[in-house]
Amino acid sequence: MTTTGIIYSLMALLPLSIAVINYRLLPRVLKWVAAFTFFSLFTEVTMSLLSKKGINNLFLIHIYVVVEYIVFGYVYAYYLNSIKLRKPIYITIVLFTAFSIFNVICLNGLKEFNTYGLLVEGALFIILSLLFFYKLFKDLEVGNLFTLPMFWINCAILIYFTANFMLFGLVELFPKEVGSNLWDNIHTTFTGVYSILMAIGLWKTRTV
Amino acid sequence: MENADGISNFYWILIVGTSIVVLLVLAIIVFVSVYQRKVFRQQVAMQELETKKQRELLLATVQSKENERQRIAKDLHDEVGAMLSAIKMSVEGIIIKTKNKEAHDKAEYTKTIIDDTISNVRRISKDLMPATLNEFGLFAAVKEIHGIMKRSNTNILFELDMQGNDSILNKEQALSLYRVVQELLNNSVKHANAKKISINLNVESKRTTLLFTDNGKGFDIEQHGKIQVNNKGLGLKNIESRVSIFGGAVTFKSELGSGTQIEAYITY
């Protein structure tokens, strides 16, 4: 496992540990987020093991991206229900899954990096997270935003996917001279930020 | 050369990308700040609305109470008073016509009782709804109640000082202040055994302040709070309610054995 891979895994352990500690206190919808942190770590470990054995592991990213959108799409559908977005979000889940299958068949194959899938997923999550902020601002139901678990989770998603959106968009532009290390380091940094914010979100369930 | 350009372009893109992420974080911070301020403003507005509703409810309660008092005062004065006067005239007729000494004495005695009852009915009717307040305003009504108290409690030294123009007060404000003075005077005379009572009423353009002082036995404010729970000390609670309707407040300063000082104000 590379140094960045180790850091990635350690960062992923943070929300995972809190998800384990707080699992019983989490509302049903956030239990899906907690479960996803397990899936996330499982995928990461499997990818590292396959990489070590010299087996192409990029197919896992295709699966991971679809599962990630289904889980967080469901979470957003739950929280954005009051502005009548549940059905449109469910439709995007179906459409995104269909697009991912199309992507595997026609664009980025299973053995290629899932650039298009990640770009579309990033764009969708940016829109959903901004809609969540809009909903917060419209309803003004929460006295202190910092006590709202979904606020932290939403910040994690907005920052991480905006960064990802640019990184995966730039992946083709990364010159060989710069090397993949820099790309990895930037990605790891944002993964760290994502994990910390996600961990705070899962921890804040105790204060609600 | 091409590679060098590529790296240069890449770093530019990287700088722009990083700036966008930093701006995003700043935007979240600004969002939180604006949101919290908006929530705070909303909470303040809701509190004001709640206070306004409570005041309106209190005003409605007080007004309905006053209306009922007015009705009872009118009934007492017009019906009971008139009937008593008729009885008195009838008894006076008996006194003139009777030649029996015993019957004459009994009729005289009855007439005295009727006179006392008539003056009591008048007093109760006046207490319930002071006509002076409606006709001549707060200062005249306070002067009147002060005079009555002074005449019936000659052992107490009364001081009255009224400043300003009471005509700027509306009917409800004047009535509330009058009731407060009435309640405080009754408390001091009946319960505090005060030997000196001082009333200072100051009507200004934006607020009216009442300073009431006596040298009576005073009371333990904390203990009084407990008594109120048992519905025995509603007088002071009523004072608070009456002034709070008009955005006012009341402060009680008292200790057992060292008199009482009460400052109440209303705003308009």
Side-chain angles (χ1 to χ4, degrees), chain B residues 142-174:
Chain B
V142 170
K143 221 177 253 177
E144 186 182 62
I145 191 176
H146 172 259
I148 294 167
M149 285 284 183
K150 208 172 175 177
R151 281 193 296 279
S152 51
N153 300 280
T154 47
N155 58 331
I156 303 175
L157 177 67
F158 287 92
E159 281 176 4
L160 178 65
D161 180 27
M162 294 188 287
Q163 306 280 335
N165 175 15
D166 65 341
S167 64
I168 62 169
L169 299 167
N170 65 31
K171 201 180 150 191
E172 285 80 19
Q173 290 162 344

PDB file of all heavy atoms in Angstrom, chain B residues 142-174:
ATOM      1  N   VAL B 142     -57.147  60.301  41.325  1.00  0.00           N
ATOM      2  CA  VAL B 142     -56.168  59.959  42.373  1.00  0.00           C
ATOM      3  C   VAL B 142     -56.332  60.914  43.560  1.00  0.00           C
ATOM      4  O   VAL B 142     -56.275  60.491  44.730  1.00  0.00           O
ATOM      5  CB  VAL B 142     -54.722  59.981  41.804  1.00  0.00           C
ATOM      6  CG1 VAL B 142     -53.685  59.870  42.921  1.00  0.00           C
ATOM      7  CG2 VAL B 142     -54.519  58.863  40.805  1.00  0.00           C
ATOM      8  N   LYS B 143     -56.538  62.208  43.244  1.00  0.00           N
ATOM      9  CA  LYS B 143     -56.742  63.209  44.302  1.00  0.00           C
ATOM     10  C   LYS B 143     -57.962  62.835  45.140  1.00  0.00           C
ATOM     11  O   LYS B 143     -57.955  62.937  46.364  1.00  0.00           O
ATOM     12  CB  LYS B 143     -56.951  64.586  43.652  1.00  0.00           C
ATOM     13  CG  LYS B 143     -56.240  65.702  44.387  1.00  0.00           C
ATOM     14  CD  LYS B 143     -56.422  67.008  43.653  1.00  0.00           C
ATOM     15  CE  LYS B 143     -55.150  67.441  42.971  1.00  0.00           C
ATOM     16  NZ  LYS B 143     -55.288  68.660  42.201  1.00  0.00           N
ATOM     17  N   GLU B 144     -59.013  62.360  44.469  1.00  0.00           N
ATOM     18  CA  GLU B 144     -60.243  61.991  45.151  1.00  0.00           C
ATOM     19  C   GLU B 144     -60.034  60.792  46.081  1.00  0.00           C
ATOM     20  O   GLU B 144     -60.381  60.849  47.268  1.00  0.00           O
ATOM     21  CB  GLU B 144     -61.322  61.645  44.106  1.00  0.00           C
ATOM     22  CG  GLU B 144     -62.682  61.384  44.745  1.00  0.00           C
ATOM     23  CD  GLU B 144     -63.715  60.996  43.710  1.00  0.00           C
ATOM     24  OE1 GLU B 144     -63.525  59.957  43.048  1.00  0.00           O
ATOM     25  OE2 GLU B 144     -64.704  61.719  43.555  1.00  0.00           O
ATOM     26  N   ILE B 145     -59.421  59.731  45.547  1.00  0.00           N
ATOM     27  CA  ILE B 145     -59.199  58.529  46.368  1.00  0.00           C
ATOM     28  C   ILE B 145     -58.237  58.858  47.527  1.00  0.00           C
ATOM     29  O   ILE B 145     -58.389  58.372  48.652  1.00  0.00           O
ATOM     30  CB  ILE B 145     -58.712  57.339  45.506  1.00  0.00           C
ATOM     31  CG1 ILE B 145     -58.754  56.057  46.329  1.00  0.00           C
ATOM     32  CG2 ILE B 145     -57.346  57.530  44.948  1.00  0.00           C
ATOM     33  CD1 ILE B 145     -58.392  54.819  45.569  1.00  0.00           C
ATOM     34  N   HIS B 146     -57.272  59.734  47.234  1.00  0.00           N
ATOM     35  CA  HIS B 146     -56.319  60.177  48.247  1.00  0.00           C
ATOM     36  C   HIS B 146     -57.065  60.923  49.369  1.00  0.00           C
ATOM     37  O   HIS B 146     -56.839  60.694  50.566  1.00  0.00           O
ATOM     38  CB  HIS B 146     -55.272  61.076  47.558  1.00  0.00           C
ATOM     39  CG  HIS B 146     -54.340  61.757  48.495  1.00  0.00           C
ATOM     40  ND1 HIS B 146     -54.499  63.074  48.857  1.00  0.00           N
ATOM     41  CD2 HIS B 146     -53.253  61.317  49.149  1.00  0.00           C
ATOM     42  CE1 HIS B 146     -53.526  63.406  49.694  1.00  0.00           C
ATOM     43  NE2 HIS B 146     -52.754  62.349  49.873  1.00  0.00           N
ATOM     44  N   GLY B 147     -58.005  61.794  48.944  1.00  0.00           N
ATOM     45  CA  GLY B 147     -58.807  62.557  49.910  1.00  0.00           C
ATOM     46  C   GLY B 147     -59.662  61.636  50.779  1.00  0.00           C
ATOM     47  O   GLY B 147     -59.726  61.800  52.003  1.00  0.00           O
ATOM     48  N   ILE B 148     -60.305  60.658  50.132  1.00  0.00           N
ATOM     49  CA  ILE B 148     -61.163  59.708  50.881  1.00  0.00           C
ATOM     50  C   ILE B 148     -60.334  58.963  51.915  1.00  0.00           C
ATOM     51  O   ILE B 148     -60.712  58.847  53.085  1.00  0.00           O
ATOM     52  CB  ILE B 148     -61.854  58.721  49.905  1.00  0.00           C
ATOM     53  CG1 ILE B 148     -62.848  59.463  49.004  1.00  0.00           C
ATOM     54  CG2 ILE B 148     -62.561  57.592  50.660  1.00  0.00           C
ATOM     55  CD1 ILE B 148     -63.360  58.669  47.820  1.00  0.00           C
ATOM     56  N   MET B 149     -59.160  58.478  51.472  1.00  0.00           N
ATOM     57  CA  MET B 149     -58.284  57.720  52.369  1.00  0.00           C
ATOM     58  C   MET B 149     -57.828  58.592  53.543  1.00  0.00           C
ATOM     59  O   MET B 149     -57.773  58.153  54.681  1.00  0.00           O
ATOM     60  CB  MET B 149     -57.047  57.220  51.599  1.00  0.00           C
ATOM     61  CG  MET B 149     -57.344  56.070  50.684  1.00  0.00           C
ATOM     62  SD  MET B 149     -57.519  54.560  51.637  1.00  0.00           S
ATOM     63  CE  MET B 149     -57.763  53.370  50.369  1.00  0.00           C
ATOM     64  N   LYS B 150     -57.517  59.851  53.224  1.00  0.00           N
ATOM     65  CA  LYS B 150     -57.015  60.796  54.220  1.00  0.00           C
ATOM     66  C   LYS B 150     -58.091  61.058  55.293  1.00  0.00           C
ATOM     67  O   LYS B 150     -57.805  61.067  56.491  1.00  0.00           O
ATOM     68  CB  LYS B 150     -56.656  62.111  53.509  1.00  0.00           C
ATOM     69  CG  LYS B 150     -55.576  62.902  54.181  1.00  0.00           C
ATOM     70  CD  LYS B 150     -55.198  64.053  53.263  1.00  0.00           C
ATOM     71  CE  LYS B 150     -54.199  64.948  53.961  1.00  0.00           C
ATOM     72  NZ  LYS B 150     -53.781  66.021  53.073  1.00  0.00           N
ATOM     73  N   ARG B 151     -59.325  61.214  54.807  1.00  0.00           N
ATOM     74  CA  ARG B 151     -60.418  61.496  55.735  1.00  0.00           C
ATOM     75  C   ARG B 151     -60.729  60.291  56.622  1.00  0.00           C
ATOM     76  O   ARG B 151     -61.032  60.430  57.800  1.00  0.00           O
ATOM     77  CB  ARG B 151     -61.679  61.907  54.959  1.00  0.00           C
ATOM     78  CG  ARG B 151     -61.627  63.364  54.493  1.00  0.00           C
ATOM     79  CD  ARG B 151     -62.988  63.826  54.030  1.00  0.00           C
ATOM     80  NE  ARG B 151     -63.455  63.105  52.859  1.00  0.00           N
ATOM     81  CZ  ARG B 151     -63.077  63.378  51.612  1.00  0.00           C
ATOM     82  NH1 ARG B 151     -62.220  64.364  51.380  1.00  0.00           N
ATOM     83  NH2 ARG B 151     -63.549  62.687  50.605  1.00  0.00           N
ATOM     84  N   SER B 152     -60.652  59.089  56.031  1.00  0.00           N
ATOM     85  CA  SER B 152     -61.028  57.913  56.837  1.00  0.00           C
ATOM     86  C   SER B 152     -59.855  57.326  57.624  1.00  0.00           C
ATOM     87  O   SER B 152     -60.033  56.405  58.410  1.00  0.00           O
ATOM     88  CB  SER B 152     -61.679  56.849  55.941  1.00  0.00           C
ATOM     89  OG  SER B 152     -60.873  56.595  54.824  1.00  0.00           O
ATOM     90  N   ASN B 153     -58.637  57.814  57.403  1.00  0.00           N
ATOM     91  CA  ASN B 153     -57.479  57.321  58.177  1.00  0.00           C
ATOM     92  C   ASN B 153     -56.685  58.525  58.685  1.00  0.00           C
ATOM     93  O   ASN B 153     -55.604  58.834  58.180  1.00  0.00           O
ATOM     94  CB  ASN B 153     -56.581  56.452  57.296  1.00  0.00           C
ATOM     95  CG  ASN B 153     -57.297  55.250  56.749  1.00  0.00           C
ATOM     96  OD1 ASN B 153     -57.470  54.253  57.437  1.00  0.00           O
ATOM     97  ND2 ASN B 153     -57.742  55.361  55.498  1.00  0.00           N
ATOM     98  N   THR B 154     -57.227  59.187  59.662  1.00  0.00           N
ATOM     99  CA  THR B 154     -56.622  60.439  60.122  1.00  0.00           C
ATOM    100  C   THR B 154     -55.275  60.233  60.808  1.00  0.00           C
ATOM    101  O   THR B 154     -54.498  61.176  60.952  1.00  0.00           O
ATOM    102  CB  THR B 154     -57.570  61.157  61.086  1.00  0.00           C
ATOM    103  OG1 THR B 154     -58.049  60.202  62.017  1.00  0.00           O
ATOM    104  CG2 THR B 154     -58.726  61.810  60.359  1.00  0.00           C
ATOM    105  N   ASN B 155     -55.003  58.989  61.216  1.00  0.00           N
ATOM    106  CA  ASN B 155     -53.719  58.716  61.882  1.00  0.00           C
ATOM    107  C   ASN B 155     -52.575  58.503  60.887  1.00  0.00           C
ATOM    108  O   ASN B 155     -51.433  58.312  61.274  1.00  0.00           O
ATOM    109  CB  ASN B 155     -53.845  57.486  62.784  1.00  0.00           C
ATOM    110  CG  ASN B 155     -54.291  56.257  62.013  1.00  0.00           C
ATOM    111  OD1 ASN B 155     -54.987  56.389  61.010  1.00  0.00           O
ATOM    112  ND2 ASN B 155     -53.886  55.091  62.476  1.00  0.00           N
ATOM    113  N   ILE B 156     -52.896  58.519  59.597  1.00  0.00           N
ATOM    114  CA  ILE B 156     -51.855  58.293  58.579  1.00  0.00           C
ATOM    115  C   ILE B 156     -51.553  59.609  57.860  1.00  0.00           C
ATOM    116  O   ILE B 156     -52.461  60.361  57.505  1.00  0.00           O
ATOM    117  CB  ILE B 156     -52.299  57.224  57.557  1.00  0.00           C
ATOM    118  CG1 ILE B 156     -52.640  55.907  58.260  1.00  0.00           C
ATOM    119  CG2 ILE B 156     -51.214  56.983  56.507  1.00  0.00           C
ATOM    120  CD1 ILE B 156     -53.208  54.832  57.357  1.00  0.00           C
ATOM    121  N   LEU B 157     -50.258  59.867  57.668  1.00  0.00           N
ATOM    122  CA  LEU B 157     -49.858  61.069  56.931  1.00  0.00           C
ATOM    123  C   LEU B 157     -49.742  60.726  55.441  1.00  0.00           C
ATOM    124  O   LEU B 157     -48.971  59.842  55.053  1.00  0.00           O
ATOM    125  CB  LEU B 157     -48.500  61.568  57.465  1.00  0.00           C
ATOM    126  CG  LEU B 157     -47.915  62.780  56.748  1.00  0.00           C
ATOM    127  CD1 LEU B 157     -48.757  64.021  56.993  1.00  0.00           C
ATOM    128  CD2 LEU B 157     -46.473  63.012  57.193  1.00  0.00           C
ATOM    129  N   PHE B 158     -50.550  61.396  54.645  1.00  0.00           N
ATOM    130  CA  PHE B 158     -50.546  61.127  53.196  1.00  0.00           C
ATOM    131  C   PHE B 158     -49.850  62.262  52.459  1.00  0.00           C
ATOM    132  O   PHE B 158     -50.100  63.425  52.754  1.00  0.00           O
ATOM    133  CB  PHE B 158     -51.983  61.016  52.672  1.00  0.00           C
ATOM    134  CG  PHE B 158     -52.680  59.747  53.061  1.00  0.00           C
ATOM    135  CD1 PHE B 158     -53.444  59.687  54.220  1.00  0.00           C
ATOM    136  CD2 PHE B 158     -52.581  58.610  52.267  1.00  0.00           C
ATOM    137  CE1 PHE B 158     -54.093  58.526  54.572  1.00  0.00           C
ATOM    138  CE2 PHE B 158     -53.241  57.440  52.627  1.00  0.00           C
ATOM    139  CZ  PHE B 158     -54.003  57.399  53.783  1.00  0.00           C
ATOM    140  N   GLU B 159     -48.984  61.887  51.530  1.00  0.00           N
ATOM    141  CA  GLU B 159     -48.329  62.909  50.697  1.00  0.00           C
ATOM    142  C   GLU B 159     -48.627  62.592  49.245  1.00  0.00           C
ATOM    143  O   GLU B 159     -48.537  61.424  48.832  1.00  0.00           O
ATOM    144  CB  GLU B 159     -46.814  62.886  50.913  1.00  0.00           C
ATOM    145  CG  GLU B 159     -46.394  63.583  52.181  1.00  0.00           C
ATOM    146  CD  GLU B 159     -44.891  63.467  52.425  1.00  0.00           C
ATOM    147  OE1 GLU B 159     -44.175  62.905  51.565  1.00  0.00           O
ATOM    148  OE2 GLU B 159     -44.463  63.933  53.483  1.00  0.00           O
ATOM    149  N   LEU B 160     -48.991  63.611  48.489  1.00  0.00           N
ATOM    150  CA  LEU B 160     -49.313  63.379  47.074  1.00  0.00           C
ATOM    151  C   LEU B 160     -48.625  64.426  46.209  1.00  0.00           C
ATOM    152  O   LEU B 160     -48.721  65.622  46.469  1.00  0.00           O
ATOM    153  CB  LEU B 160     -50.840  63.466  46.876  1.00  0.00           C
ATOM    154  CG  LEU B 160     -51.350  63.290  45.447  1.00  0.00           C
ATOM    155  CD1 LEU B 160     -51.065  61.888  44.919  1.00  0.00           C
ATOM    156  CD2 LEU B 160     -52.853  63.558  45.390  1.00  0.00           C
ATOM    157  N   ASP B 161     -47.896  63.925  45.211  1.00  0.00           N
ATOM    158  CA  ASP B 161     -47.219  64.850  44.299  1.00  0.00           C
ATOM    159  C   ASP B 161     -47.463  64.373  42.867  1.00  0.00           C
ATOM    160  O   ASP B 161     -47.113  63.242  42.516  1.00  0.00           O
ATOM    161  CB  ASP B 161     -45.715  64.861  44.618  1.00  0.00           C
ATOM    162  CG  ASP B 161     -44.961  65.799  43.693  1.00  0.00           C
ATOM    163  OD1 ASP B 161     -45.579  66.768  43.200  1.00  0.00           O
ATOM    164  OD2 ASP B 161     -43.764  65.541  43.440  1.00  0.00           O
ATOM    165  N   MET B 162     -48.116  65.208  42.065  1.00  0.00           N
ATOM    166  CA  MET B 162     -48.402  64.805  40.679  1.00  0.00           C
ATOM    167  C   MET B 162     -47.873  65.858  39.719  1.00  0.00           C
ATOM    168  O   MET B 162     -48.134  67.044  39.887  1.00  0.00           O
ATOM    169  CB  MET B 162     -49.915  64.625  40.499  1.00  0.00           C
ATOM    170  CG  MET B 162     -50.449  63.455  41.316  1.00  0.00           C
ATOM    171  SD  MET B 162     -52.156  63.054  40.980  1.00  0.00           S
ATOM    172  CE  MET B 162     -53.004  64.403  41.766  1.00  0.00           C
ATOM    173  N   GLN B 163     -47.101  65.398  38.750  1.00  0.00           N
ATOM    174  CA  GLN B 163     -46.469  66.311  37.787  1.00  0.00           C
ATOM    175  C   GLN B 163     -46.888  65.934  36.369  1.00  0.00           C
ATOM    176  O   GLN B 163     -47.125  64.764  36.089  1.00  0.00           O
ATOM    177  CB  GLN B 163     -44.938  66.184  37.863  1.00  0.00           C
ATOM    178  CG  GLN B 163     -44.330  66.376  39.241  1.00  0.00           C
ATOM    179  CD  GLN B 163     -44.190  67.834  39.612  1.00  0.00           C
ATOM    180  OE1 GLN B 163     -44.094  68.703  38.750  1.00  0.00           O
ATOM    181  NE2 GLN B 163     -44.198  68.122  40.906  1.00  0.00           N
ATOM    182  N   GLY B 164     -46.918  66.912  35.489  1.00  0.00           N
ATOM    183  CA  GLY B 164     -47.183  66.641  34.066  1.00  0.00           C
ATOM    184  C   GLY B 164     -48.630  66.857  33.678  1.00  0.00           C
ATOM    185  O   GLY B 164     -49.433  67.371  34.451  1.00  0.00           O
ATOM    186  N   ASN B 165     -48.924  66.422  32.449  1.00  0.00           N
ATOM    187  CA  ASN B 165     -50.258  66.639  31.901  1.00  0.00           C
ATOM    188  C   ASN B 165     -50.950  65.287  31.713  1.00  0.00           C
ATOM    189  O   ASN B 165     -50.613  64.530  30.804  1.00  0.00           O
ATOM    190  CB  ASN B 165     -50.114  67.384  30.561  1.00  0.00           C
ATOM    191  CG  ASN B 165     -51.436  67.556  29.850  1.00  0.00           C
ATOM    192  OD1 ASN B 165     -52.491  67.374  30.443  1.00  0.00           O
ATOM    193  ND2 ASN B 165     -51.369  67.891  28.579  1.00  0.00           N
ATOM    194  N   ASP B 166     -51.933  64.997  32.593  1.00  0.00           N
ATOM    195  CA  ASP B 166     -52.558  63.658  32.552  1.00  0.00           C
ATOM    196  C   ASP B 166     -53.508  63.482  31.364  1.00  0.00           C
ATOM    197  O   ASP B 166     -53.952  62.366  31.104  1.00  0.00           O
ATOM    198  CB  ASP B 166     -53.283  63.357  33.870  1.00  0.00           C
ATOM    199  CG  ASP B 166     -54.455  64.282  34.108  1.00  0.00           C
ATOM    200  OD1 ASP B 166     -54.499  65.360  33.477  1.00  0.00           O
ATOM    201  OD2 ASP B 166     -55.329  63.929  34.924  1.00  0.00           O
ATOM    202  N   SER B 167     -53.773  64.557  30.614  1.00  0.00           N
ATOM    203  CA  SER B 167     -54.708  64.416  29.494  1.00  0.00           C
ATOM    204  C   SER B 167     -54.079  63.645  28.324  1.00  0.00           C
ATOM    205  O   SER B 167     -54.786  63.214  27.408  1.00  0.00           O
ATOM    206  CB  SER B 167     -55.199  65.782  29.030  1.00  0.00           C
ATOM    207  OG  SER B 167     -54.115  66.516  28.535  1.00  0.00           O
ATOM    208  N   ILE B 168     -52.760  63.449  28.356  1.00  0.00           N
ATOM    209  CA  ILE B 168     -52.138  62.687  27.254  1.00  0.00           C
ATOM    210  C   ILE B 168     -52.357  61.178  27.420  1.00  0.00           C
ATOM    211  O   ILE B 168     -52.116  60.409  26.513  1.00  0.00           O
ATOM    212  CB  ILE B 168     -50.625  63.000  27.089  1.00  0.00           C
ATOM    213  CG1 ILE B 168     -49.835  62.616  28.346  1.00  0.00           C
ATOM    214  CG2 ILE B 168     -50.389  64.439  26.728  1.00  0.00           C
ATOM    215  CD1 ILE B 168     -48.320  62.660  28.113  1.00  0.00           C
ATOM    216  N   LEU B 169     -52.816  60.789  28.614  1.00  0.00           N
ATOM    217  CA  LEU B 169     -53.069  59.362  28.843  1.00  0.00           C
ATOM    218  C   LEU B 169     -54.438  58.992  28.280  1.00  0.00           C
ATOM    219  O   LEU B 169     -55.399  59.738  28.457  1.00  0.00           O
ATOM    220  CB  LEU B 169     -53.054  59.053  30.347  1.00  0.00           C
ATOM    221  CG  LEU B 169     -51.758  59.327  31.097  1.00  0.00           C
ATOM    222  CD1 LEU B 169     -52.010  59.277  32.597  1.00  0.00           C
ATOM    223  CD2 LEU B 169     -50.704  58.304  30.710  1.00  0.00           C
ATOM    224  N   ASN B 170     -54.498  57.817  27.608  1.00  0.00           N
ATOM    225  CA  ASN B 170     -55.812  57.398  27.142  1.00  0.00           C
ATOM    226  C   ASN B 170     -56.593  56.751  28.299  1.00  0.00           C
ATOM    227  O   ASN B 170     -56.050  56.551  29.394  1.00  0.00           O
ATOM    228  CB  ASN B 170     -55.732  56.501  25.897  1.00  0.00           C
ATOM    229  CG  ASN B 170     -55.061  55.177  26.175  1.00  0.00           C
ATOM    230  OD1 ASN B 170     -55.154  54.645  27.277  1.00  0.00           O
ATOM    231  ND2 ASN B 170     -54.378  54.650  25.176  1.00  0.00           N
ATOM    232  N   LYS B 171     -57.840  56.389  28.036  1.00  0.00           N
ATOM    233  CA  LYS B 171     -58.740  55.897  29.079  1.00  0.00           C
ATOM    234  C   LYS B 171     -58.174  54.642  29.760  1.00  0.00           C
ATOM    235  O   LYS B 171     -58.185  54.526  30.987  1.00  0.00           O
ATOM    236  CB  LYS B 171     -60.093  55.581  28.416  1.00  0.00           C
ATOM    237  CG  LYS B 171     -61.238  55.545  29.358  1.00  0.00           C
ATOM    238  CD  LYS B 171     -62.497  55.224  28.562  1.00  0.00           C
ATOM    239  CE  LYS B 171     -63.468  54.473  29.455  1.00  0.00           C
ATOM    240  NZ  LYS B 171     -64.590  53.911  28.716  1.00  0.00           N
ATOM    241  N   GLU B 172     -57.662  53.720  28.925  1.00  0.00           N
ATOM    242  CA  GLU B 172     -57.156  52.441  29.465  1.00  0.00           C
ATOM    243  C   GLU B 172     -55.918  52.668  30.329  1.00  0.00           C
ATOM    244  O   GLU B 172     -55.768  52.064  31.396  1.00  0.00           O
ATOM    245  CB  GLU B 172     -56.806  51.469  28.327  1.00  0.00           C
ATOM    246  CG  GLU B 172     -57.983  50.837  27.632  1.00  0.00           C
ATOM    247  CD  GLU B 172     -58.626  51.756  26.611  1.00  0.00           C
ATOM    248  OE1 GLU B 172     -57.966  52.728  26.182  1.00  0.00           O
ATOM    249  OE2 GLU B 172     -59.816  51.533  26.285  1.00  0.00           O
ATOM    250  N   GLN B 173     -55.018  53.550  29.851  1.00  0.00           N
ATOM    251  CA  GLN B 173     -53.786  53.821  30.605  1.00  0.00           C
ATOM    252  C   GLN B 173     -54.127  54.476  31.943  1.00  0.00           C
ATOM    253  O   GLN B 173     -53.587  54.090  32.990  1.00  0.00           O
ATOM    254  CB  GLN B 173     -52.861  54.736  29.789  1.00  0.00           C
ATOM    255  CG  GLN B 173     -52.256  54.053  28.578  1.00  0.00           C
ATOM    256  CD  GLN B 173     -51.714  55.043  27.552  1.00  0.00           C
ATOM    257  OE1 GLN B 173     -52.035  56.234  27.577  1.00  0.00           O
ATOM    258  NE2 GLN B 173     -50.915  54.536  26.638  1.00  0.00           N
ATOM    259  N   ALA B 174     -55.028  55.461  31.898  1.00  0.00           N
ATOM    260  CA  ALA B 174     -55.409  56.160  33.125  1.00  0.00           C
ATOM    261  C   ALA B 174     -56.060  55.200  34.113  1.00  0.00           C
ATOM    262  O   ALA B 174     -55.747  55.211  35.313  1.00  0.00           O
ATOM    263  CB  ALA B 174     -56.371  57.290  32.784  1.00  0.00           C
TER     264      ALA B 174
END
